[in-house]
């Protein structure tokens, strides 16, 4: 019987998304969280490791002789040393699609908060500011209409395309960058742009590209300087795409109008992260993916990935 060890199961199943489908495939051990110092002891003897954010580097992979398969319960797999896995003939699979609608919906939620400040105004009302106002209408800061503005999408995969559809439904023009020759969407106006063109032209920029050596730190002081002063940045992809100190500085200087991030370079966020003190910056704790519907899809695909590997027909391989 295969030994299946889940290294960090709490975020996928905090109590409402059981591991039943996986438990039928072998001896299942689920750890809510795994500190780095306990990784090797917990993973020892496992044929299958299931991980979301617990890294598996070359050192760990080489010291786990029983390991045959790694199931990543996410789309991004930068936490796995896939070259080391290949040398050991360890198969790695991810979940190509599970949170498209949830993440795209969250992007729109962040965008609307940047533009309409619903939470800020709700808080002001509950502090008594409306009751004390001499006017019937209390506007805390300028509100922004999205219709006619340009949405720039960096990375036009499944999530990026869905964000484009929702932006179009709000009356926005859509431009995008893509690493490959992506198919043009059915709606208009739409255009592909280079990365530099997109940053200069867009009113809103939403990041949806993977974190790679080439994309790390791509949003830096130089690139931010090319944005419109009225532009806004949204990041629900990976925190390290952005040089956070540069973004914080740009917000303090008024180089751009605002930002919203659901991801940061270190997670949980470091107490000294400069974005925590930056003006006009919304920060949420990496929850765009976390609807129950999305987590159920992730659980289902994880079980399918493990079952397919055990049957000798791996699916969703990333190497």
């Amino acid at each position: 019987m295969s030994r299946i060890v889940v290294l960090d199961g709490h975020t996928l199943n905090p109590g409402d998304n059981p591991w039943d489908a996986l438990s039928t495939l072998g001896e299942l051990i689920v750890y809510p969280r795994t500190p780095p110092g306990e990784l090797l002891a917990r993973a020892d003897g496992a044929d299958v490791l299931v991980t979301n954010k617990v890294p598996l580097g070359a050192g760990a992979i080489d010291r786990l002789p029983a390991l045959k398969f790694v199931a990543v319960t996410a789309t991004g797999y930068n936490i796995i040393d896939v070259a080391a896995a290949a040398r050991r003939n360890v198969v790695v699979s991810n979940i190509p699609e599970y949170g498209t609608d949830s993440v795209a919906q969250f992007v729109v939620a962040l965008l609307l908060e940047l533009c309409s400040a619903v939470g800020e105004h709700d808080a002001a009302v509950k502090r008594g500011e409306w009751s004390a106002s001499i006017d019937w209408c209390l506007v805390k800061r300028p509100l922004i209409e999205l219709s006619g503005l340009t949405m720039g999408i960096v990375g036009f995969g499944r999530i990026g395309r869905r964000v484009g559809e929702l932006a179009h439904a709000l009356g926005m023009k859509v431009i995008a960058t893509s690493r490959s020759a992506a198919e043009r969407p059915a709606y208009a106006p739409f255009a592909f742009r280079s990365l530099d063109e997109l940053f200069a032209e867009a009113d809103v920029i939403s990041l949806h590209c993977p974190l790679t050596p080439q994309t790390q730190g791509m949003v830096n002081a130089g690139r931010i300087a090319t944005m419109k002063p009225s532009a806004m940045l949204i990041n629900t992809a990976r925190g390290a795409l952005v040089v956070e100190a540069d973004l914080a500085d740009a917000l303090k200087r008024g180089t751009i109008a605002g930002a919203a991030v659901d991801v940061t370079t270190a997670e949980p966020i470091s107490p000294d992260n400069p974005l925590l003190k930056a003006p006009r910056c919304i920060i949420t704790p990496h929850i765009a993916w976390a609807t129950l519907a999305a987590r159920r899809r992730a659980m289902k695909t994880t079980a399918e990935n493990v079952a397919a590997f055990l049957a000798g027909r791996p699916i969703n391989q990333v190497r």
Side-chain angles (χ1 to χ4, degrees):
M1 176 179 288
S2 295
R3 181 180 175 89
I4 305 167
V5 175
V6 179
L7 294 172
D8 54 347
H10 176 74
T11 52
L12 188 57
N13 175 29
D16 57 0
N17 189 27
W19 298 94
D20 295 355
L22 208 57
S23 66
T24 65
L25 301 175
E27 176 194 357
L28 177 65
I29 301 171
V30 179
Y31 294 103
R33 303 163 187 88
T34 295
E38 297 183 30
L39 170 61
L40 291 176
R42 291 182 175 185
D44 187 40
D47 307 279
V48 175
L49 288 180
V50 179
T51 180
N52 188 302
K53 292 294 182 288
V54 175
L56 288 171
I61 292 170
D62 289 341
R63 293 173 66 184
L64 296 170
L67 183 61
K68 300 180 181 67
F69 180 63
V70 176
V72 182
T73 60
T75 302
Y77 53 90
N78 53 289
I79 59 164
I80 310 298
D81 189 326
V82 292
R87 288 195 301 270
R88 278 277 325 282
N89 292 317
V90 173
V91 176
V92 181
S93 291
N94 73 336
I95 306 176
E97 199 281 324
Y98 71 99
T100 298
D101 287 333
S102 292
V103 175
Q105 171 184 306
F106 201 83
V107 170
V108 173
L110 292 174
L111 176 58
L112 293 178
E113 181 60 28
L114 284 170
C115 294
S116 300
V118 173
E120 182 179 340
H121 285 87
D122 170 70
V125 170
K126 291 172 180 173
R127 286 194 302 266
E129 293 185 30
W130 194 19
S131 299
S133 174
I134 61 173
D135 297 313
W136 58 272
C137 174
L138 176 69
V139 179
K140 294 291 295 179
R141 60 179 171 87
L143 307 179
I144 300 168
E145 182 175 277
L146 289 168
S147 181
L149 299 185
T150 298
M151 168 65 84
I153 300 170
V154 180
F156 209 52
R158 292 181 180 89
I159 297 174
R161 296 182 77 88
R162 185 64 175 137
V163 169
E165 291 172 359
L166 297 178
H168 171 72
L170 290 169
M172 301 183 75
K173 305 171 185 176
V174 179
I175 59 177
T177 65
S178 178
R179 292 181 301 169
S180 58
E183 182 181 349
R184 295 177 66 89
Y187 56 80
F190 173 86
F192 284 112
R193 294 283 192 265
S194 71
L195 188 63
D196 289 341
E197 290 170 338
L198 184 145
F199 267 77
E201 184 177 340
D203 298 292
V204 180
I205 297 170
S206 190
L207 304 182
H208 299 286
C209 55
L211 178 62
T212 68
Q214 292 71 40
T215 62
Q216 184 169 354
M218 62 184 287
V219 182
N220 51 37
R223 186 153 273 135
I224 293 170
T226 69
M227 296 170 64
K228 298 176 181 179
S230 58
M232 296 168 282
L233 176 74
I234 298 174
N235 186 13
T236 57
R238 288 291 183 267
L241 296 171
V242 178
V243 179
E244 291 162 336
D246 291 354
L247 176 58
D249 184 65
L251 291 166
K252 289 174 184 176
R253 292 174 179 272
T255 304
I256 61 172
V261 301
D262 185 52
V263 289
T264 53
T265 299
E267 296 178 344
I269 191 169
S270 172
D272 61 357
N273 188 307
L275 293 178
L276 289 169
K277 295 183 179 179
R280 301 177 306 283
C281 184
I282 298 168
I283 306 173
T284 52
H286 205 146
I287 56 172
W289 70 282
T291 64
L292 178 57
R295 288 186 289 109
R296 281 177 172 166
R297 287 190 291 269
M299 182 69 77
K300 178 176 181 291
T301 304
T302 297
E304 291 171 349
N305 284 349
V306 174
F309 172 77
L310 294 176
R313 299 184 297 275
I315 57 175
N316 297 322
Q317 291 179 252
V318 299
R319 72 101 191 138

